[in-house]
Amino acid sequence: MGQSGDLQMKLENGNAGFVLEDVPHLTDYIPDLPTYPNPLQFNPAYSVVKQYFVNVDDTVSQQIVVHKDSPRGRHFRRAGPRQKVYFESEEVHACIVTCGGLCPGLNTVIREIVCGLYHMYGVTKVLGIDGGYRGFYSKNTIDLNPKVVNDIHKRGGTILGTSRGGHDKSKIVDSIQDRGINQVYIIGGDGTQKGAAVIYEEIRHRGLKVAVAGIPKTIDNDIPVIDKSFGFDTAVEEAQRAINAAHVEAESIENGIGVVKLMGRHSGFIAMYATLASRDVDCCLIPESPFYLEGEGGLYQFIEKRLKENGHMVIVIAEGAGQDFLSKSLQSMNQQDASGNKLLQDVGLWISQKIKDHFARLHKIAINLKYIDPTYMIRAIPSNASDNVYCTLLAQSAVHGAMAGYSGFTVGPVNSRHAYIPFYRITEKQNKVVITDRMWARLLSSTNQPSFISPKQVTEFKKVKQPPAQLLDGENCEEDKSKSEDVTTKT
Ligand SMILES: Nc1ncnc2c1ncn2[C@@H]1O[C@H](COP(=O)(O)OP(=O)(O)O)[C@@H](O)[C@H]1O
Ligand SMILES: O=P(O)(O)OC[C@H]1O[C@](O)(COP(=O)(O)O)[C@@H](O)[C@@H]1O
Ligand SMILES: [Mg+2]
């Protein structure tokens, strides 16, 4: 696996503390590249548009809540079509690859890159790389055109296939060079974007006119800087079905308990949003909020109380929650997947068994517990309508960026405006639920579950750090310690 080097940040300072954190451009290392008029202005579909192109000086602010004396702060380059492009349509030979875990919307992004290239820029050579990064050097490619991808957005998964591991910088760039590819679209999560940064650096090192564009994918919504990742809404919506089922089961029987395990290795966003959306959940457990089982304020006590009050309850648990307990009780082996991500133990099964054992020992309440594990069901589905629209914008932003000669960037909405973001900004940290933020308080007040934080800890926390009035960038992020490390947030 390649290592990301130390490429210089492209920072530009302006008035009143304005900083543009720019993305690389092909002309940074290949001067005097010829430019061409953007073919979009001759496109009949766009003839009604008042302004075909975004202003070259348009930037998107990372901070939107500011005070009158605040500096203007960090900005990113606004995404969108440019007046000049650095590729002629006939010259472009693009490829698309999907890597890492599945996520609703992958096929929509593929479709819209292909259609964007064909319909907006008249590009007709687009290759699909089969099976993730290793597909560059060990698998066949697939010719893509609007006909082939016409209805793929209605299917879950990725028509290109995906994989973990297999990132070999030299072999990948050799393959790009040998095939004459000059635009590379890379769809994937934090690992994939790190891999994309390595590919970009090697391409730059070899001085190739090849644009590398990343499209961030993470069902866990744990990529920083961008507002939200595609597929997340769809996953939260699908999770409602599992929660409903758990609720129906629990409600229908005396002292029924429904336990639902949802995805979220290091970030509990799916569990938190699914809980907030559902209103049927009594307790939501996430990796960022350590919990305990026994004693005053513990989970067992809360379950007993809820069963007495309501006769049933639903618990949602993110897969990364409580891993501390599991590693202690199960002598965890430090197993990893092919990409180096730590393999987690099944916390849903574990907690279900612990609850059953506890109440069996207690002889007070006979509980009926049903465990539902919809993990892969929430990601192996097609994206919903809003994710489909979102995927379209991501794909088109990537295509406009590559055609305009930008390279080594990823795309995504920042405060609702699509922007070009340097790779390092989305791979250096991981987005997490901040349990001292108002959103987690909303969740606690909707479930009325214990916070599992002792009054002493709260006082300690307040002494250390006053919670900000509004979260500024990075405050809901943690350094990326995801590889083979336990990253349960300390409070
Ligand atoms: N630090 C890294 N450098 C280069 N490639 C990486 C790095 N981390 C992961 N990759 C590659 O990125 C791909 C996807 O990574 P993975 O962690 O499985 O999924 P995700 O992209 O969803 O985080 C894999 O092919 C993996 O080999
Ligand atoms: O079983 P797999 O394919 O390794 O994937 C499972 C993991 O992928 C994840 O969805 C994270 O992937 P992304 O955030 O990159 O989409 C985890 O929540 C989950 O544990
Ligand atoms: Mg990842």
Side-chain angles (χ1 to χ4, degrees), residues 1-4 99-101 132-134 163-167 187-196 198 217-218 265 337-341 483:
M1 209 174 277
Q3 285 298 312
S4 185
C99 312
Y133 278 133
R134 64 169 60 92
S163 65
R164 298 199 190 268
H167 187 285
I187 312 167
D190 54 343
T192 305
Q193 303 298 315
K194 282 177 196 159
V198 170
K217 169 244 51 152
T218 157
R265 260 197 245 248
D337 68 17
S339 295
N341 303 302
K483 302 287 163 177

Side-chain angles (χ1 to χ4, degrees), residues 7 44 162 269 389:
L7 271 191
T162 184
F269 288 105
V389 175

Side-chain angles (χ1 to χ4, degrees), residues 348-360:
L349 265 185
W350 174 83
I351 205 160
S352 299
Q353 199 52 52
K354 292 296 275 187
I355 295 170
K356 283 184 196 165
D357 291 348
H358 173 79
F359 284 96

Side-chain angles (χ1 to χ4, degrees), residues 87-125:
F87 292 92
E88 280 182 297
S89 308
E90 315 77 63
E91 170 198 357
V92 175
H93 190 189
C95 76
I96 308 174
V97 64
T98 51
C99 312
L102 290 184
C103 183
L106 282 166
N107 278 335
T108 314
V109 177
I110 296 168
R111 182 188 193 281
E112 296 309 319
I113 293 172
V114 175
C115 292
L117 283 166
Y118 263 77
H119 300 320
M120 295 191 298
Y121 288 99
V123 169
T124 54
K125 280 186 285 181

Side-chain angles (χ1 to χ4, degrees), residues 379-393:
R379 75 172 193 189
I381 51 171
S383 43
N384 67 13
S386 93
D387 270 326
N388 266 339
V389 175
Y390 178 23
C391 290
T392 306
L393 267 78

